[in-house]
Amino acid sequence: MLEKTYRPKEVETKNYARWEEAGCFEAHEDSAQPPYTIMMPPANVTGSLHIGHALTFSIQDILIRWKRMRGHDALWQPGTDHAGIATQMVVERNLAAEGIHRRDLGRDKFLEKVWNWKEESGGTIIRQLRHLGASADWKRERFTMDEGLSKAVVKVFVELYKQGLIYRDKRLVNWDPKLHTAISDLEVQQKETKGHLWHFRYPIEGEEGRYIVVATTRPETMLGDSGVAVHPEDERYADLIGKFVVLPLVGRRIPIVADEWADPETGSGAVKITPAHDFNDFEVGRRHDLEMINIFDQDAHLNDSVPEPYRRLDRFEARARVVADLEALGLVDKIEDHVHVVPHGDRGGVPIEPYLTDQWYVDAATLARPCIEAVESGKTRFVPQQYENIYFDWMRNIQPWCVSRQIWWGHQIPAWYGPDGTVFVEMTEEAASAAATSHYGKAVDLRRDEDVLDTWFSSALWPFSTLGWPEDTAAVERYYPGDVLVTGFDIIFFWVARMMMMGIHFMGEVPFKDVYIHGLVRDAEGQKMSKSKGNTMDPLDVVEKYGCDALRFTLAALCTNGRDIKLAEPRIEGYRNFATKLWNASRFALMNGAALQADYDPSANSLTINRWIVSKLTSAASSLDQALSSYRFNDAASILYHFAWGEFCDWYIELSKPILNGEDLVAKAETQATTAWVLTQIVKLMHPLMPYITEELWETLSGGGEGLLISAAWPALPVTLADAEAEAEIDWLIKLITEVRGTRNQMNVPAAAQVPLLIKGASDITRARLTANEALIGRLARVSKLTHSETSAGEGDVQMVVGEATFVMPLGDVIDLAAERARLQRDLSKLEGEISKIEKKLANEQFIAKAPEEVVEEQRERLVEASQTRQKLSDAVARLGA
């Protein structure tokens, strides 16, 4: 027998250990079952579980458990990413506490420290994922710097280099002056900052007293200007195109060029061009062959390319000095307060610099072409489809991919330089030495490139490197390509697109057939969660309070395709109550003799109520399969909730109580067997979303002789179990009872009051149903008697229509009619006012334009809800004859 109270913590600890010990998570390469593969996005080895992870991994686990039960050899490939900059910073902070800098140790000693930290402290998130119920094949866990994965990384780099798809170039990068490395766009945070917009006069060469005014938020960069741009159709400056200005403070002649980047409607219409320190200016500079003048060193201090008074100054000190000197020369036209977005490094926390430097690049445009075709042709599809547009936009406008980083932790670039700078890219140092000897005709000393690869480079190989590639393994043959990738929209470009590039280029086919994109998890008000706002939600705290199943089910229930999730604690509490409801229903069933019968045949049921619940189960199972197949997780949760709580717990158990307590032993036995069988099907259907409680219930319901639920077969319910006649009768009965209850509640009928029910216009079928279910209607709707009558409704009679019949409830002697009319009218008037306010707000174009999308959507939902309530109140008023 089940314990009286469900204790999630005990059940979770016990059952996870049972699953893992039994090898239930493992895929089998020699299996005859069809494979199903999901690649777990490799979490940062420095990371810990947050609510976004909980969503991503819960969705993946739902799919894996579902496919496993449906007879697939399911591989959920786990692992972690070495997280170059993040991990290096952790170890450097630890060393700094001891007064040690990494350069004091040297590269090899420092990397030893990092590996030691990884072994002792890394992998926290993997332990937390186990706590969440993740059924990944942990024996296959990989790390992006494993020996095998490192071999794959080197092979890919070398082959791409030899194919001309990796090259070294001088371009602008996001430079972190604190960490002294290039960083990716994903590692850049845009912060709104209060600053100024300075308007400077640049003297026109040879035209005394004539100036062109340019505006900038970064005066210090003017020392690196190499041009001024105006729009080619801007008549104000037509005569200046091709002429020169004399750059103040520097004295350098720089040309005035015509370029559409200059916007005539913005500022003066003229813009200063600093190609070495602005991404847009870099492109303008390349179009017009302007000089690229780097004025910063790696600390963002000014270098020797600027006049002597500004050298070695910090960029912000230089800003103040430049403005002061230009003011002294009378060249400051005006200064405006200006709020603008300043990019900061998310790790270093300081403003990043667009910085001209030599880096390694991948020819992403060439690799992107077959990736675009793969999505266009449907080889890979995005769900929801709208995310294809983001993918196409990025891929069709893709820039060279900077893959080098100036740190030590990561895959060191396999490039060696000869005495004259000739580069040799090979798999090993020995191969590079041999190539150098062949090139120079003698043995020479080589210097290895100190840079490491961007972590996105190694994670781009994840779908096949984790399976043993470049070796020709059985795992690669069986599990590549994957079936679905589950991830957030923010890394479509950084990870999804790059896996597509590498998978198609090296494996000859797409890495996954589907890409399911989920939204962000926001707080209850729709705001993005952040520590600074104090509105984050720790999933482990939630699990501790409400149980893992409640969190997983909540995330699934809120996971609507294409929309962000508003997560509120009361919702989680509600689904905890759902788990408790299922537990209590199972206890009730067991206490009332429900037990699985080996020879039970659901198609042989004779009682309408039992045929009804089996038919409803069949429909729910079919709808659930369809929902999961199309990644409609909210629909899957809704189907389960509606059937398990609404139809089974609330109605079937309630309607079957008289049978279980009755004297008809045949009917009782059929109902007991049906109850047990339906319950076992429910726990199977619910297992992917609520694995722990269902496993615990299964052990008792199945008698312990059926093995673990995680390995049980998914319900295969034939359509012949559908029974339209039984559904029609019981659905009618439920609707009638619901209508009577709702009307009683709306009219404030005392709960204990037994009220008669008059029936008008009933068909023969309805009359038969009333006769067969009179006792149930009386007990569940508190109806004293049923009477067929064709008389007109009188004062205080409330009417309801169910099917073709009208049901009349005489309330004149039960409630104060005048008081109820007044109450309903007050409620209706108040609601009308609320609806009017919402309608005005939604009709306001400024509100629609400025309010966040989720706020507008919330107002629309409130309007629908209020309108429905208004209709109910209006119906109630009409029923009372007001």
Side-chain angles (χ1 to χ4, degrees), residues 782-802:
R782 295 189 179 275
V783 170
S784 57
K785 65 178 179 179
L786 298 172
T787 306
H788 292 279
S789 171
E790 297 303 324
T791 59
S792 299
E795 174 75 8
D797 288 354
V798 178
Q799 300 185 66
M800 299 156 283
V801 177
V802 179

Side-chain angles (χ1 to χ4, degrees), residues 361-502:
Y361 290 90
V362 170
D363 180 359
T366 298
L367 292 177
R369 281 195 284 271
C371 302
I372 294 169
E373 186 278 329
V375 176
E376 287 176 335
S377 65
K379 293 173 188 172
T380 292
R381 67 173 185 139
F382 280 81
V383 182
Q385 189 176 3
Q386 69 208 47
Y387 288 105
E388 286 182 2
N389 297 328
I390 295 175
Y391 173 83
F392 286 138
D393 184 57
W394 279 336
M395 295 298 259
R396 288 168 180 158
N397 298 284
I398 201 165
Q399 297 296 310
W401 171 17
C402 177
V403 294
S404 46
R405 298 290 181 266
Q406 290 66 54
I407 57 176
W408 286 350
W409 173 242
H411 296 99
Q412 192 171 357
I413 289 174
W416 288 262
Y417 300 96
D420 59 358
T422 300
V423 64
F424 302 93
V425 175
E426 300 290 346
M427 290 291 294
T428 63
E429 186 171 2
E430 291 73 22
S433 294
T437 298
S438 175
H439 174 76
Y440 292 110
K442 62 179 180 179
V444 295
D445 291 332
L446 297 178
R447 173 182 61 84
R448 185 167 185 177
D449 196 310
E450 291 194 356
D451 289 355
V452 300
L453 287 163
D454 174 17
T455 53
W456 295 109
F457 190 92
S458 50
S459 59
L461 317 183
W462 192 251
F464 52 94
S465 64
T466 51
L467 301 175
W469 188 90
E471 304 302 324
D472 187 17
T473 67
V476 172
E477 179 69 25
R478 182 165 176 77
Y479 301 116
Y480 186 95
D483 288 88
V484 60
L485 178 78
V486 178
T487 188
F489 73 88
D490 53 334
I491 56 172
I492 291 175
F493 176 66
F494 292 97
W495 192 42
V496 178
R498 288 163 182 179
M499 283 190 288
M500 290 284 284
M501 291 180 195
M502 297 303 189

Side-chain angles (χ1 to χ4, degrees), residues 560-602:
T560 304
N561 283 357
R563 294 182 61 182
D564 288 346
I565 287 172
K566 292 182 186 178
L567 186 60
E569 195 166 320
R571 194 73 182 261
I572 303 169
E573 184 178 11
Y575 289 123
R576 188 273 312 275
N577 296 343
F578 176 43
T580 301
K581 181 84 169 180
L582 187 64
W583 183 268
N584 291 339
S586 300
R587 287 190 77 248
F588 171 84
L590 292 167
M591 291 168 66
N592 282 272
L596 276 178
Q597 303 297 323
D599 58 350
Y600 174 73
D601 179 4

Side-chain angles (χ1 to χ4, degrees), residues 515-574:
V515 180
Y516 175 73
I517 304 292
H518 59 73
L520 294 175
V521 183
R522 298 179 178 272
D523 69 10
E525 306 304 317
Q527 296 186 69
K528 189 172 182 179
M529 291 188 181
S530 69
K531 290 180 180 178
S532 61
K533 291 180 182 176
N535 63 346
T536 58
M537 188 179 290
D538 188 326
L540 297 181
D541 290 344
V542 174
V543 169
E544 180 73 20
K545 188 171 183 180
Y546 298 110
C548 180
D549 289 329
L551 175 60
R552 288 170 59 116
F553 199 91
T554 304
L555 292 171
L558 297 174
C559 190
T560 304
N561 283 357
R563 294 182 61 182
D564 288 346
I565 287 172
K566 292 182 186 178
L567 186 60
E569 195 166 320
R571 194 73 182 261
I572 303 169
E573 184 178 11

Side-chain angles (χ1 to χ4, degrees), residues 743 749 754-759 783-785 787 793-800 807-815 817 880:
T743 301
V749 175
Q754 296 282 331
V755 181
L757 204 58
L758 308 179
I759 305 101
V783 170
S784 57
K785 65 178 179 179
T787 306
E795 174 75 8
D797 288 354
V798 178
Q799 300 185 66
M800 299 156 283
F807 293 81
V808 181
M809 189 185 298
L811 296 179
D813 297 331
V814 181
I815 62 173
L817 297 176
L880 284 175

